């Protein structure tokens, strides 16, 4: 402990030496003048905008709000600086409660006028404080009695993977949300779109936590969803042995094509390619077309392809055929 005493003695002697006494006196009067300046400054009158949270209270149990239960008003208050500081950093002017029954108009909506907001805020202000302005000039809330509808979620925006990659699958969690709104609005809502996304240049699976957009008089439960974008490597591939089937064939006749099976060329993901089978594709020949325009060959058409396939084309567009009686 001896070294501590020695260090303390050295510091004490330095601070209270003749030279540093003058410096300490200077600091004292500087601090004192700063305090006086601050007191004079805070005693002046200023205008300050304050954000106040409003919350709807005493909501009946059979009522579901379809708008936010909380909102924010921006109130410009005039008073002494030291009073404004208590508003800004204290708890006295943080929030205002709005009684649901006092402002319910009985038609699925409620309205709080600027006059009512002013009265509620003035109750929490000092007598010396004066409200200069309130924004917005009114507050609205919407509700129903549990009327809802389950609708799917779709993403919107710009989601583009790296070159040679593509989005092979999109997964939503959850894939649908409950929408609370008026009957008129529920009838017009078929799908809920996320806020616009913007992701470019990724190659691995991308998982995004999305906010559903706020819509006046509409509430989504939940109001956020997770979306997974699964990628795969693009590859040019083909599958042989896809059977040709005939459509619009009259009873008692059989159409045979030569060859009976053909090849389909397409672009898909590597993992998707390994799960494909010839039966996943549909190639047809139309008997009505043959009957109207008979020739040595008939046209064949690629009617359907599996999900995840793009730029699908037939290796041949015409084949020989023979029509037989059963």
């Amino acid at each position: 402990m001896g070294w501590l005493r020695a260090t303390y003695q050295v510091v004490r002697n330095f601070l209270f030496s003749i030279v540093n006494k003058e410096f300490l006196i200077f600091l004292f009067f500087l601090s004192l003048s700063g305090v006086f300046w601050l007191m004079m400054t805070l005693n002046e009158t200023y205008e300050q905008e304050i954000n106040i949270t409003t919350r709807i209270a005493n909501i009946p149990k059979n009522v579901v709000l379809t708008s936010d239960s909380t909102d924010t008003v921006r109130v410009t208050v005039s008073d002494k600086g030291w009073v404004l500081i208590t508003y800004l950093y204290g708890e006295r002017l943080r929030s205002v409660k709005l009684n649901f029954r006092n402002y319910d108009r009985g038609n699925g909506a409620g309205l709080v006028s600027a006059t009512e907001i002013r009265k509620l805020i003035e109750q929490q202000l000092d007598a010396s404080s004066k409200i200069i302005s309130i924004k917005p000039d009114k507050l609205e809330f919407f509700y129903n009695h549990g009327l809802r509808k389950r609708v799917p979620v779709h993403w919107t925006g710009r989601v583009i993977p790296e070159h040679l990659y593509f989005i092979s699958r999109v997964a939503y969690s959850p894939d649908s949300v409950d929408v609370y709104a008026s009957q008129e609005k529920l009838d017009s809502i078929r799908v809920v779109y996320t806020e616009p996304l913007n992701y470019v240049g990724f190659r691995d699976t991308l998982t995004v936590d999305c906010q559903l957009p706020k819509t006046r008089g509409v509430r989504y439960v939940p109001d956020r969803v997770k979306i997974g974008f699964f990628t795969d490597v693009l590859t040019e591939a083909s599958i042989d042995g896809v059977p040709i089937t005939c459509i619009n064939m009259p009873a008692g006749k059989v159409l045979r094509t030569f060859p009976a099976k053909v090849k389909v060329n397409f672009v898909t993901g590597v993992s998707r390619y390994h799960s494909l089978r010839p039966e996943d594709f549909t190639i047809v020949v139309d008997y009505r077309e043959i009957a109207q325009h008979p020739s040595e060959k008939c046209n064949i058409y690629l009617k359907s392809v599996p999900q995840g396939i793009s730029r699908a084309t037939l290796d041949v567009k015409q084949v020989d055929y023979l029509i037989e009686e059963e």
Side-chain angles (χ1 to χ4, degrees), residues 34-305:
V35 171
F36 280 117
W37 174 83
L38 181 61
M39 292 177 62
M40 292 176 62
T41 301
L42 293 178
N43 203 44
E44 296 290 332
T45 300
Y46 300 93
E47 292 183 3
Q48 177 64 47
E49 185 177 85
I50 303 171
N51 291 332
I52 301 176
T53 301
T54 61
R55 183 171 64 86
I56 302 173
N58 301 321
I59 303 171
K61 292 183 178 180
N62 65 334
V63 168
V64 177
L65 287 180
T66 57
S67 56
D68 290 336
S69 60
T70 60
D71 208 337
T72 302
V73 293
R74 303 187 304 278
V75 182
T76 302
V77 180
S78 174
D79 207 333
K80 303 290 186 182
W82 58 271
V83 178
L84 295 178
I85 286 179
T86 63
Y87 295 154
L88 288 171
Y89 302 105
E91 297 296 328
R92 59 184 300 188
L93 203 60
R94 290 294 185 185
S95 64
V96 171
K97 290 184 179 181
L98 306 174
N99 192 306
F100 177 89
R101 298 187 185 276
N102 293 344
Y103 308 104
D104 175 24
R105 295 186 294 183
N107 58 350
L111 176 66
V112 188
S113 65
T115 302
E116 293 292 335
I117 298 173
R118 179 184 291 268
K119 289 180 181 179
L120 293 171
I121 295 175
E122 284 178 341
Q123 295 174 6
Q124 302 186 43
L125 297 177
D126 287 352
S128 59
S129 299
K130 180 181 179 182
I131 296 178
I132 305 301
S133 66
I134 298 177
K135 298 177 182 179
D137 58 357
K138 64 179 179 180
L139 293 176
E140 289 183 288
F141 62 88
F142 301 90
Y143 68 92
N144 68 20
H145 295 282
L147 196 61
R148 66 177 181 175
K149 179 180 180 181
R150 190 78 173 174
V151 296
V153 178
H154 285 183
W155 69 275
T156 59
R158 186 166 173 259
V159 181
I160 304 174
E162 281 188 7
H163 181 59
L164 297 181
Y165 285 78
F166 79 112
I167 297 173
S168 60
R169 183 168 63 92
V170 179
Y172 298 86
S173 179
D175 60 358
S176 301
V177 297
D178 289 323
V179 181
Y180 292 83
S182 64
Q183 186 62 61
E184 181 182 359
K185 290 186 176 180
L186 288 178
D187 290 342
S188 65
I189 297 175
R190 297 288 183 269
V191 63
V192 176
Y193 293 97
T194 67
E195 291 186 339
L197 306 179
N198 186 20
Y199 296 91
V200 178
F202 61 95
R203 61 171 60 183
D204 297 323
T205 299
L206 174 67
T207 302
V208 182
D209 188 8
C210 300
Q211 175 74 48
L212 299 181
K214 294 185 181 298
T215 306
R216 188 171 181 266
V218 179
R219 180 184 178 189
Y220 305 114
V221 180
D223 61 357
R224 304 188 71 89
V225 296
K226 286 187 177 180
I227 304 179
F229 296 92
F230 296 85
T231 59
D232 200 353
V233 180
L234 282 173
T235 182
E236 292 185 356
S238 62
I239 190 165
D240 204 355
V242 179
I244 301 173
T245 58
C246 183
I247 60 175
N248 300 319
M249 195 70 183
K253 294 181 180 293
V254 176
L255 186 144
R256 304 185 189 280
T257 61
F258 304 94
K261 299 178 180 181
V262 295
K263 180 191 293 186
V264 180
N265 303 310
F266 51 87
V267 174
T268 188
V270 173
S271 59
R272 183 73 179 100
Y273 172 72
H274 293 301
S275 64
L276 292 175
R277 299 174 304 168
E279 294 77 16
D280 296 330
F281 298 80
T282 303
I283 301 175
V284 299
V285 55
D286 191 347
Y287 176 82
R288 291 178 182 175
E289 181 181 332
I290 296 174
Q292 293 175 0
H293 307 284
S295 63
E296 294 182 357
K297 294 180 178 293
C298 63
N299 296 319
I300 58 175
Y301 302 95
L302 183 60
K303 187 175 181 181
S304 66
V305 298

